[in-house]
Amino acid sequence: MRIFDPHIHMTSRTTDDYEAMHAAGIRALVEPAFWLGQPRTGVSSFTDYFDSLVGWERFRAAQFGIAHHATIALNPKEANDPRCVPVLDVLERYLVKDGVVAVGEVGFDSMTAEEESAFRRQLELAGEHDLPVLVHTPHRDKLAGTRRTLELVAESGLPPERVLVDHLNETTVTLVDEVGCWAGFSIYPDTKMDEYRMVRILQERGPDRVLVNSAADWGRSDPLKTRKTGDAMLAAGFTDDDVDRVLWRNPVDFFGQSGRLLLDLPERAAADTFEGNSLLRGERATARTA
Ligand SMILES: [Zn+2]
């Protein structure tokens, strides 16, 4: 089983996780820029973090044979902090970099005016840079948050096929399907969506425009939830080809729209040095779309 986890925060994970992920079949991932738990107090905290996402973390992943990509944004939660909002003016520096495959995570956390303004600006940036967008939906008031999210996406004029609306459930997926955006599902260990509910959703709506992720981060989470979803799909009668489509070809199709996937990574890159890694020198690899 080859797996592309389209949403996982490896900065918060260990080398044991990388080893277990590789053993489970994970060969590529996307790490969205997000909230680190401890509030940031200024723009340089963001830029150090963004540099780490496109540099150090990509190198670390490569040592375990996993292609690492990032999405860059001011996350919804910190859009409420006036010390953080000026980072919007430096995002463009990162949105042109290799391996940056979308603007994200953007969207709503508490549905404030400040969040809406940062969300609108970042939808514009996605249009200006011809990049897909990864949109986070709030865990509280998810239905209202998803409705408002889709209104702003429609107003932005971005093509729906370039927008991924994430952290969906049985209720909110219908709204997203109606407008033709991609539907993202985060599979959690004990709350919210699990792999069996995911299988039932796939049985009902089919595998089109669906991405499944672990959203593993610094909280209780499981970086192998993509693999567990693949196993649950097979146990429920889906074919190997269905699993490959959901766990590999769909994320490649969605993020491939950026033209910046880095899937030509050598199987073992452990001998590379951080400075000597060609991926880190910014050489563009061609996206493999099959
Ligand atoms: Zn996340």
Side-chain angles (χ1 to χ4, degrees):
M1 199 183 290
R2 57 176 180 170
I3 299 171
F4 188 136
D5 190 336
H7 186 149
I8 183 165
H9 301 287
M10 293 313 298
T11 300
S12 309
R13 311 300 307 193
T14 64
T15 52
D16 284 358
D17 290 329
Y18 269 125
E19 280 177 359
M21 288 163 66
H22 188 272
I26 295 163
R27 293 293 181 274
L29 59 83
V30 169
E31 175 156 5
F34 84 143
W35 181 55
L36 288 176
Q38 180 68 35
R40 295 177 176 90
T41 58
V43 170
S44 66
S45 298
F46 282 92
T47 52
D48 288 343
Y49 172 64
F50 296 156
D51 286 336
S52 153
L53 290 184
V54 300
W56 178 248
E57 201 58 44
R58 187 182 301 166
F59 173 68
R60 217 163 71 96
Q63 289 180 303
F64 296 91
I66 297 177
H68 180 286
H69 311 86
T71 74
I72 297 288
L74 169 60
N75 64 84
K77 203 172 182 89
E78 288 179 310
N80 294 300
D81 188 333
R83 295 172 300 180
C84 298
V85 176
V87 76
L88 291 172
D89 298 328
V90 305
L91 291 180
E92 292 188 82
R93 210 195 288 169
Y94 294 92
L95 296 179
V96 298
K97 287 191 187 287
D98 283 345
V100 173
V101 292
V103 174
E105 310 179 41
V106 296
F108 287 115
D109 179 59
S110 309
M111 303 206 28
T112 63
E114 289 78 10
E115 290 169 21
E116 181 165 320
S117 144
F119 188 10
R120 283 181 191 279
R121 174 63 190 131
Q122 295 184 96
L123 288 169
E124 279 171 18
L125 283 173
E128 288 162 18
H129 289 270
D130 208 18
L131 281 173
V133 190
L134 167 57
V135 185
H136 164 98
T137 53
H139 296 297
R140 289 161 282 135
D141 290 328
K142 191 175 279 293
L143 191 59
T146 307
R147 281 214 179 89
R148 187 68 191 132
T149 293
L150 295 175
E151 284 169 14
L152 291 191
V153 166
E155 285 171 25
S156 76
L158 291 174
E161 67 271 15
R162 296 180 75 87
V163 179
L164 164 60
V165 186
D166 211 345
H167 314 311
L168 297 178
N169 59 29
E170 291 84 350
T171 311
T172 49
V173 65
T174 353
L175 299 176
V176 173
D177 282 343
E178 278 165 17
V179 298
C181 293
W182 285 70
F185 294 89
S186 302
I187 313 299
Y188 299 99
D190 48 9
T191 56
K192 303 175 268 195
M193 183 61 57
D194 66 26
E195 57 266 43
Y196 307 104
R197 283 168 65 186
M198 187 66 237
V199 165
R200 286 195 290 280
I201 290 171
L202 287 165
Q203 285 166 332
E204 275 170 30
R205 75 174 286 295
D208 280 357
R209 286 180 291 104
V210 168
L211 299 187
V212 174
N213 62 70
S214 70
D217 58 16
W218 36 252
R220 185 157 187 271
S221 48
D222 179 354
L224 302 184
K225 278 294 185 186
T226 46
R227 172 60 194 249
K228 289 171 186 170
T229 302
D231 290 340
M233 285 178 72
L234 292 174
F238 282 97
T239 65
D240 287 332
D241 188 68
D242 295 329
V243 172
D244 189 69
R245 179 164 177 199
V246 171
L247 294 183
W248 185 266
R249 299 193 314 263
N250 279 357
V252 168
D253 286 351
F254 179 75
F255 288 108
Q257 296 182 92
S258 68
R260 301 217 194 119
L261 287 180
L262 306 169
L263 297 179
D264 295 327
L265 201 70
E267 180 65 19
R268 295 297 302 175
D272 283 4
T273 62
F274 181 58
E275 290 74 20
N277 188 318
S278 66
L279 294 173
L280 295 168
R281 290 198 305 266
E283 291 166 14
R284 177 165 299 195
T286 47
R288 190 186 301 141
T289 51

